[in-house]
């Protein structure tokens, strides 16, 4: 269903989108939200041609994925996405996932910035040809906080390969979820269920670059709820700058 302030589409969960427990993976959920966001923008005329003509792009600054119930192979899922009018330079989009019983089984909250591809500066005002049509303020928002961690230990190195990049030649924002979860112990990812994933995107990772991945398990002293297992994960570039930070919580 098309609309300016709301857009809907449905999908059937594929085997390729699920993990060894038959649950839909976080990266697959983020890929679906990326797809519905793109389809919504295309429906209102914000196409890739329009972005290129105005030498601008939307970059994801923060995302939060919360999972409330089971999403398994073959499930029929309805997605509803709500973009909000910008708050200063931040564009918010909230997307909910509903099962056939109408229960909300997951939700993603995301914050975007509009960037000039020539100057690489954040645009406080959109180009004249891209006047923002969204009318509503954000009514739902997740907690994007990530504990400050200074003693995380390196566990791996991840390379930004061809298949992981988007049309900007950067590591696609949905790929971060796979990198984060792939570097956590099976006692969390396999034996527990992901409850919440927050990713803060600090700087882009370009094709061919390598990221040092550092992790640390968190506890109640770090603000993690009792009965929940939490992990801090960050990726650093060769120059030591942070590419991203993340918090993953399992129940």
């Amino acid at each position: 269903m098309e609309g300016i302030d709301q857009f809907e589409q449905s999908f059937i969960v594929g085997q390729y989108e699920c993990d060894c427990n038959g649950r839909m993976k976080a990266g697959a959920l983020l890929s679906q939200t990326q797809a519905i966001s793109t389809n919504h923008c295309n429906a209102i005329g914000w196409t890739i041609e329009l972005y290129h003509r105005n030498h601008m792009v939307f970059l994801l600054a923060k995302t939060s994925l919360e999972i409330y119930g089971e999403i398994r192979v073959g499930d029929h899922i309805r997605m509803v996405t709500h973009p909000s009018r910008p708050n200063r330079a931040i564009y918010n989009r909230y997307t909910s996932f509903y099962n056939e019983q109408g229960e909300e089984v997951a939700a993603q909250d995301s914050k975007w910035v509009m960037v000039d591809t020539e100057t690489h500066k954040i645009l406080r005002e959109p180009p004249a040809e891209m006047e923002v049509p969204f009318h509503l303020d954000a009514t739902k928002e997740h907690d994007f906080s990530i504990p400050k961690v200074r003693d995380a230990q390196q566990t791996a190195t991840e390379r930004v390969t061809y298949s992981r990049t988007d049309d900007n030649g950067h590591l696609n924002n949905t790929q971060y979820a796979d990198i984060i979860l792939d570097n956590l112990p099976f006692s969390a990812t396999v034996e527990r269920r992901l409850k919440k994933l927050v990713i803060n995107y600090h700087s882009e990772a370009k094709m061919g670059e390598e990221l040092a991945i550092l992790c640390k398990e968190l506890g109640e002293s770090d603000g993690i709820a009792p009965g929940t297992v939490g992990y801090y994960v960050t990726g650093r570039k060769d120059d030591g700058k942070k590419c991203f930070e993340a918090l993953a919580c399992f129940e």
Side-chain angles (χ1 to χ4, degrees):
M1 183 177 72
E2 296 183 13
I4 295 295
D5 295 310
Q6 177 174 312
F7 187 83
E8 296 186 20
Q9 66 184 41
S10 300
F11 67 95
I12 299 174
V13 180
Q15 182 74 49
Y16 66 93
E17 296 179 296
C18 296
D19 64 11
C20 58
N21 291 312
R23 296 190 184 108
M24 193 171 182
K25 293 178 288 188
L29 285 164
L30 295 182
S31 292
Q32 288 288 352
T33 60
Q34 185 181 71
I36 192 174
S37 300
T38 300
N39 291 342
H40 186 197
C41 287
N42 287 336
I44 63 174
W46 281 17
T47 63
I48 190 69
E49 292 79 16
L50 182 64
Y51 296 149
H52 289 168
R53 189 162 63 245
N54 288 274
H55 52 85
M56 60 76 58
V57 66
F58 276 105
L59 294 182
L60 186 58
K62 295 181 180 182
T63 189
S64 167
L65 175 67
E66 295 183 356
I67 301 176
Y68 313 124
E70 295 285 336
I71 308 176
R72 293 187 170 274
V73 178
D75 285 354
H76 291 246
I77 301 296
R78 179 173 65 93
M79 289 193 299
V80 182
T81 190
H82 295 272
S84 304
R85 59 186 172 191
N87 181 6
R88 297 181 180 176
I90 302 297
Y91 295 76
N92 190 82
R93 181 179 285 272
Y94 196 97
T95 305
S96 296
F97 295 76
Y98 297 94
N99 62 17
E100 290 184 88
Q101 290 72 45
E103 302 166 329
E104 187 179 29
V105 287
Q108 185 218 27
D109 190 3
S110 56
K111 297 186 181 298
W112 301 77
V113 291
M114 187 183 290
V115 175
D116 187 306
T117 56
E118 295 182 347
T119 65
H120 304 289
K121 293 182 178 179
I122 294 176
L123 298 176
R124 301 293 174 178
E125 296 291 337
E129 193 179 4
M130 297 190 68
E131 183 178 352
V132 180
F134 310 129
H135 307 105
L136 305 179
D137 293 323
T139 56
K140 296 180 180 179
E141 289 193 82
H142 288 182
D143 180 2
F144 286 89
S145 59
I146 297 175
K148 292 184 178 180
V149 174
R150 302 186 185 278
D151 57 347
Q153 300 299 308
Q154 184 170 345
T155 59
T157 300
E158 296 279 353
R159 187 166 181 266
V160 183
T161 56
Y162 155 79
S163 64
R164 288 176 160 180
T165 56
D166 57 21
D167 57 4
N168 297 310
H170 299 163
L171 181 62
N172 187 282
N173 63 68
T174 67
Q175 292 288 321
Y176 287 80
D178 289 339
I179 289 174
I180 292 162
L181 298 179
D182 282 347
N183 283 283
L184 298 182
F186 295 151
S187 58
T189 55
V190 176
E191 297 175 15
R192 289 176 175 263
R193 184 171 71 86
L194 181 66
K195 180 179 180 181
K196 184 177 179 69
L197 177 64
V198 179
I199 308 173
N200 190 341
Y201 303 87
H202 290 292
S203 60
E204 70 275 7
K206 299 178 181 179
M207 190 184 305
E209 291 184 336
E210 290 190 345
L211 300 177
I213 306 300
L214 296 83
C215 305
K216 182 184 179 182
E217 184 173 348
L218 306 175
E220 291 184 40
S221 62
D222 302 296
I224 305 302
T228 301
V229 174
Y231 290 90
Y232 170 86
V233 184
T234 185
R236 293 181 182 170
K237 299 182 179 182
D238 289 340
D239 59 7
K241 292 183 179 179
K242 291 178 182 177
C243 173
F244 73 90
E245 289 181 285
L247 171 66
C249 295
F250 301 82
E251 59 182 13

